[in-house]
Amino acid sequence: MFGALGVGAAGVGVGVASGYAVGQSDDDGSVGAGSGAEQYDFYGQHQAGITTPAQDRMHFAAFDVTTSDRDALIELLQEWTQAAAAMTAGESVGGPLPYEAPPADTGEAIGLPASGLTLTFGFGPSLFVDESGEDRFGLAERQPAVLNRLPHFPADALQENRSDGDLCIQACADDPQVAVHAIRNLSRIAFGRASLRWSQLGFGRTSSTSTAQSTPRNLFGFKDGTANIKSEETDVVKESVWVAAGDDPDAEWMVDGSYLVARRISMSIETWDRTSLAEQELITGRDRQEGAPLSGGTEFTEPDFAAKGGDGEFLMATNSHVRLAHPSQNDGVQMLRRGYNFTDGSNELGRLDAGLFFLAFVRDPDVQYIPMQTRMSAQDGLMEYLQHTGSALFAVPPGAAQDEWVGQGLFA
Amino acid sequence: MKRVLFASSAILALTLSACTDNSETTSDGASTGDSGAIAVSATDDACDLSATETGSGTLTFNVTNDGSQVTEFYLLGEDQLRIIGEVENIGPGLSRDLVMQAPAGDYFTACKPGMVGDGIQAAFTVTDSGAEMAASGDSAELVAQADEQYGAYIRDQTEQLLADTEEFTALYVAGDDDAAREFYPEARLHWERIETVAESFGDLDPSMDLREADLEPGQEWTGWHAIEKDLWPPEDGDYETLDQAGRQALADKLNSDTQELYDRTRDMTFTADQIGNGAKGLLDEVATGKVTGEEEIWSHTDLWDFQANVDGARVAWQGLSPILETKNPELDAEVAERFDELQALLDQHRDGEGFVLYTELSTEEVKELSDAVNALSEPLSQVTAAVLQ
């Protein structure tokens, strides 16, 4: 267990001064699974929910904008901002209404603390230009050059009703009821302007985004995200996560924002479970118990990709997941991963409908995600047990100041 | 990064601009001159308020019954008689909010433990906060007009329903099945337009409109959907079409039930909340039964029912619209716009005098219709409270 740094301290280090802990961090050293007292400001330079220590639960939602009225879209973002600021502070949406009226807030979070809720909003490429090339809201000129529908990767089995979207909201919290409450109320506010396209629940984090957090395991049973960017690595965060001035002259509104890659990755749980431990570790590239690279050491030892065994084969196999995902094999690029384990019940064959809802934040998806995924989809030994069933890319604008609404810069 | 808090006026400006769509009924009370909730502790012998003065606009009293008897709380006019706002039937230990609009003026508050007598009264002052107020005024006349209009609509629709039901059942009994199938969705239009009123008669609705899936064990299946299945019998399965006597029995029952519905609706009167909630109820019917294709599982004529539910809801809202225009014009305009959007979408699925079958709709088209129903139903669900304000 790591010492309790307190989420506030971690946040300040990377310029997320908006994130602060109310009350004290947990005494047992675990971060995120505590009393629910964690609370992050909605307003700030960057949106919360990116370098924020990954919460335990997630409800992610993508929306289709149904109005063609630019003002109605702006009003929606304004109302979402208001509601998000209230909910992330542990308060209800709206005020009391007459007894004869349906309540403004749906009520299931009454009495629950903020539970570290963060709400992170994003814009999909289809918000800017529709399929026929039409400029939907006069925003086409401001579409970032790198905000495009993700390409087809080898072995993709994408489902339309789990992919893409004009808008997205990532709701993360340490209490699933709080995360679901947020998406439910924001969806309700959107009626008549945007409708839910798809949504995904995640029951457990598969990444740590702070050195104060222990590395969680994915449903293959392996530690995931050991080499993830941590919020404490301020230089790496700045270099790899946040869009900087000058990155895209046509999309200066994205400065201090980031790009969010979402991939629903289904796992063939049953076949994996009957795979030998030797095979499991070989294609992962780490030992299961400790998470150490097979070239030796402990969890956080850098893998030695040149090391060979007595048989002359690389200890870190050439098709191993860790080797293919490692920055040294990808021109040094990194991304901030923030994924969640999911189970959507079981399918008609009685198999678990489970996997990993991959979320990553990058400064430039063309450099930091697409080349790596192209290679991994073709070469990663794990692909035998994986199927990508959903895909989306969103531009996550910077945080809103107290008197602003989220995404305001895009419409300025 | 730290940012200096901007002046509250800037925040208020944002708040207001963010609320133009839904006005005060859905948004933060702070946007309409709310001065914070006033706590009321109502006991068996006291009525304690946390403040006896507040600014005009939306007032919120959070009334807690700290006594042992069921109580009521009133805001009364200067004459101590006229009721400006009230919450009734607050059980011991319970809390309830009274949310209402009040202009500047002198008032009286009253707690009424045991719900008898004049209650425990005290003076209460509303000062001018500068908040814009919805037009006040006695809407009793407008409510009476709405009642008259809606009552006439119900009478007219039941009259047409009676005639069309007799025509439809005659075709069915005569074995003219093609004509009966063609007329079925048209005759049902009148039923679906007044469905929430018909459903208020707990004995008639199950015998006239029960779906097979809703049958209780041992319950006899009669009404529209029993005939529907007999006219569109499932191709495989063990359903046996009815013989002449079976047809006659279903037809007679439906005719006599419809006559009963006709008789009972001659003198019906409606309060504003019955009309408002009826409109919302009709849209709920669309959302749960029609947009899912569950209502007409054999004939697939769900879009006729859909249209009829929307017709009935629109008439109900139109009756209340003159009241809503004075109380909350933004909400009224939003409802009008959403009705038009939904109707435009429905019109895309017209086929001749009627509609395409539900089974011809694509998943995307159903989703579009469902989105439009949600878009209308949210503001429509606020109409009743807005009218009663």
Side-chain angles (χ1 to χ4, degrees), chain B residues 68 83 89-90 93 107 120 125 143 160 172 176 191 197 215 240 315 327 333 336 343-344 361 384:
Chain B
S68 62
I83 296 168
N89 299 331
I90 312 172
Y107 297 87
I120 305 156
T125 308
V143 172
Q160 293 189 52
Y172 173 60
D176 194 350
W191 167 269
V197 172
L215 281 172
E240 277 179 42
V315 167
K327 306 258 183 177
Q343 189 59 58
L361 298 175
T384 302

Side-chain angles (χ1 to χ4, degrees), chain A residues 17 75 79 97-99 195-196, chain B residues 1 18 25 96 367 371 389:
Chain A
E75 279 172 16
E79 288 175 38
L97 292 180
Y99 205 44
S195 81
L196 203 53
Chain B
M1 191 210 70
T25 52
R96 190 164 297 164
K367 169 89 164 35
D371 285 346
Q389 275 266 299

Side-chain angles (χ1 to χ4, degrees), chain B residues 14-345:
Chain B
L14 166 67
T15 310
L16 286 172
S17 70
C19 297
T20 49
D21 214 16
N22 290 318
S23 187
E24 66 272 21
T25 52
T26 56
S27 300
D28 186 349
S31 64
T32 51
D34 178 281
S35 312
I38 295 163
V40 179
S41 170
T43 62
D44 293 346
D45 51 12
C47 187
D48 295 325
L49 278 74
S50 62
T52 56
E53 186 179 304
T54 191
S56 59
T58 301
L59 272 54
T60 302
F61 295 93
N62 181 242
V63 186
T64 303
N65 184 351
D66 293 317
S68 62
Q69 299 173 283
V70 178
T71 194
E72 298 170 343
F73 177 79
Y74 293 87
L75 185 70
L76 303 170
E78 199 177 359
D79 59 5
Q80 292 178 257
L81 293 172
R82 192 164 63 94
I83 296 168
I84 312 296
E86 63 182 315
V87 277
E88 300 173 296
N89 299 331
I90 312 172
L94 296 186
S95 291
R96 190 164 297 164
D97 288 333
L98 170 60
V99 184
M100 52 174 299
Q101 294 256 315
D106 294 322
Y107 297 87
F108 282 84
T109 53
C111 295
K112 207 182 276 189
M115 303 181 292
V116 291
D118 294 333
I120 305 156
Q121 300 196 2
F124 187 84
T125 308
V126 176
T127 58
D128 189 355
S129 69
E132 264 189 57
M133 294 285 301
S136 59
D138 197 352
S139 46
E141 197 173 315
L142 294 175
V143 172
Q145 279 174 19
D147 167 32
E148 196 175 318
Q149 185 190 333
Y150 196 61
Y153 180 72
I154 297 298
R155 285 191 295 278
D156 177 55
Q157 288 301 317
T158 39
E159 194 173 320
Q160 293 189 52
L161 178 66
L162 187 59
D164 283 3
T165 304
E166 282 167 359
E167 188 180 334
F168 166 73
T169 51
L171 293 169
Y172 173 60
V173 170
D176 194 350
D177 288 3
D178 283 339
R181 279 190 283 262
E182 195 177 331
F183 195 53
Y184 171 84
E186 288 176 45
R188 274 180 60 75
L189 284 176
H190 309 294
W191 167 269
E192 294 290 340
R193 282 180 184 143
I194 59 163
E195 189 171 14
T196 46
V197 172
E199 283 175 354
S200 68
F201 302 110
D203 53 339
L204 288 179
D205 181 51
S207 101
M208 294 177 76
D209 200 37
L210 205 66
R211 293 173 298 187
E212 189 175 26
D214 299 330
L215 281 172
E216 293 170 21
Q219 190 177 10
E220 189 193 359
W221 191 25
T222 59
W224 285 101
H225 295 300
I227 300 177
E228 180 203 0
K229 186 177 184 180
D230 200 43
L231 284 171
W232 283 271
E235 280 174 19
D236 39 300
D238 40 17
Y239 178 77
E240 277 179 42
T241 50
L242 296 176
D243 59 14
Q244 190 60 28
R247 285 191 172 209
Q248 189 70 53
L250 279 181
D252 290 347
K253 175 73 173 147
L254 186 58
N255 285 331
S256 65
D257 282 345
T258 308
Q259 181 67 50
E260 180 66 25
L261 176 68
Y262 175 88
D263 293 342
R264 289 191 202 174
T265 47
R266 287 312 89 188
D267 303 316
M268 270 189 104
T269 58
F270 300 91
T271 60
D273 63 320
Q274 284 171 336
I275 300 171
N277 286 328
K280 175 196 170 286
L282 285 168
L283 260 294
D284 290 347
E285 297 282 346
V286 174
T288 53
K290 280 72 177 189
V291 95
T292 57
E294 291 169 57
E295 179 76 19
E296 307 286 359
I297 198 157
W298 312 109
S299 68
H300 305 302
T301 54
D302 301 270
L303 288 188
W304 278 260
D305 300 355
F306 193 143
Q307 177 68 63
N309 282 162
V310 171
D311 290 343
R314 191 192 271 267
V315 167
W317 158 72
Q318 280 168 339
L320 297 176
S321 189
I323 308 170
L324 203 55
E325 269 174 25
T326 64
K327 306 258 183 177
N328 191 337
E330 296 89 354
L331 179 61
D332 193 53
E334 189 184 356
V335 170
E337 189 185 332
R338 301 272 189 251
F339 263 120
D340 289 346
E341 287 168 1
L342 178 57
Q343 189 59 58
L345 208 52

Side-chain angles (χ1 to χ4, degrees), chain B residues 4-18:
Chain B
V4 177
L5 269 178
F6 281 74
S8 61
S9 61
I11 295 169
L12 184 62
L14 166 67
T15 310
L16 286 172
S17 70

